[in-house]
Amino acid sequence: MTTKPHLLIVDGMALLFRSFFASAAMNQFIRLDDGTPSNGVQGFARHVLTAQNLMQPTHLAVCWDMGAVTFRNDLYDGYKANRPAPPEEMLPQFDMAKRVSEMIGWQNFGTQGLEADDLIGSMIEKWKDDAQITVISGDKDLLQLLNPSTKIAFTKKGYTEYDVYTESRFVEEYGIAPKQFAEVKAFMGDTSDGYPGVKGIGPKTALQLIQNHGSIDGVLEALPTLKPGQRIKISENEAMLRLSHQLATIHCEVPIDIELNQLALSPYAPELFDHIEQQGYRLIAKHARSIYK
């Protein structure tokens, strides 16, 4: 029996933000020789190097958001409108992270007008039959992408601890299929992403509605049987419910113009870490040498 490739898909933005704020809170910006902050970048790369060593993928891709405006902003002005702008020290690190990623040998993916989630979903859709897939992120929206060949590893603590979801774990905990999770999000809304869903319906009720009726359409058909309070809230907010579902649904039809074999990982040569160190990323080089001796 041939072993399938193991593709590791990294939510680059999630790891970059996580790494930045973990050290920025202590005012540790780890500046390069020219004074440019690099704490997020160095944390991001160390995180991925550790994950690679821990999870032993054969293939790897890093997905990025490309700017703040996406097609979801065209659908709804309030989408992510309440998020504060990134701190000044983080601004140069978005491009730096992609350059460091390329330097190490990882391939970056990002499409204007789309979120990293949409690229992750499209990669999963393209290669779900050809590879075992692990996604590293901190974004619970990705739970809707689970399938028999795909796991989602949510960052938990440090570089080595993850909360790993499989499709079977999700079904056992939530009592619905992963694809139905976007419909749950449509009812409960998402304060982080700035869409309200149905005001007055929280996560527990939202999940129960989908467990009991299967879909948004199923809930709407069953409106006469619901509690009066729920019936009023849903009927008064049906348009926002439909819109929230559009915003919550990850698009999995983005063209991925690359073949899986082009994402294959190669062993790291010692000279690579020397080069990274010469560019000022000493923590990455030190960390890499400690793992890949």
Side-chain angles (χ1 to χ4, degrees), residues 14-52:
L15 293 193
L16 183 64
F17 270 93
R18 176 185 170 86
S19 298
F20 176 84
F21 285 109
S23 48
M26 295 170 282
N27 219 30
Q28 295 177 342
F29 293 109
I30 314 169
R31 297 180 185 275
L32 301 181
D33 292 341
D34 65 0
T36 306
S38 71
N39 59 321
V41 175
Q42 302 218 49
F44 153 76
R46 290 154 72 197
H47 205 134
V48 179
L49 286 164
T50 304
Q52 187 184 340

Side-chain angles (χ1 to χ4, degrees), residues 80-234:
K80 294 190 177 180
N82 57 350
R83 291 197 180 181
E88 185 181 342
E89 291 87 356
M90 192 169 186
L91 296 179
Q93 298 194 54
F94 295 115
D95 289 336
M96 283 167 61
K98 297 184 188 76
R99 287 198 300 272
V100 167
S101 189
E102 288 174 3
M103 203 184 299
I104 296 172
W106 306 326
Q107 294 203 47
N108 296 311
F109 295 86
T111 301
Q112 290 290 342
L114 296 171
E115 294 182 38
D117 290 5
D118 301 308
L119 293 169
I120 293 168
S122 299
M123 286 183 179
I124 290 171
E125 185 62 29
K126 180 169 182 172
W127 290 314
K128 64 185 179 184
D129 297 326
D130 305 318
Q132 292 296 320
I133 301 171
T134 303
V135 180
I136 296 178
S137 181
D139 184 358
K140 290 291 173 71
D141 289 349
L142 296 175
L143 287 169
Q144 65 189 273
L145 302 176
L146 287 166
N147 62 48
S149 62
T150 301
K151 296 185 290 190
I152 312 289
F154 293 112
T155 50
K156 194 174 176 183
K157 187 179 179 183
Y159 293 150
T160 58
E161 289 189 32
Y162 292 91
D163 186 16
V164 180
Y165 269 84
T166 59
E167 182 183 46
S168 57
R169 178 188 169 187
F170 177 88
V171 172
E172 186 178 329
E173 287 188 15
Y174 285 83
I176 57 173
K179 285 187 181 298
Q180 293 173 290
F181 189 61
E183 306 205 57
V184 175
K185 291 291 299 282
F187 277 101
M188 62 186 264
D190 189 320
T191 52
S192 173
D193 285 344
Y195 60 88
V198 177
K199 288 180 181 175
I201 291 195
K204 187 176 177 182
T205 302
L207 180 57
Q208 288 173 343
L209 287 168
I210 298 302
Q211 286 172 337
N212 294 337
H213 304 287
S215 66
I216 290 169
D217 288 337
V219 173
L220 292 172
E221 286 170 16
L223 269 184
T225 69
L226 300 183
K227 297 174 183 175
Q230 291 178 355
R231 189 163 65 240
I232 293 166
K233 289 170 188 170
I234 294 168

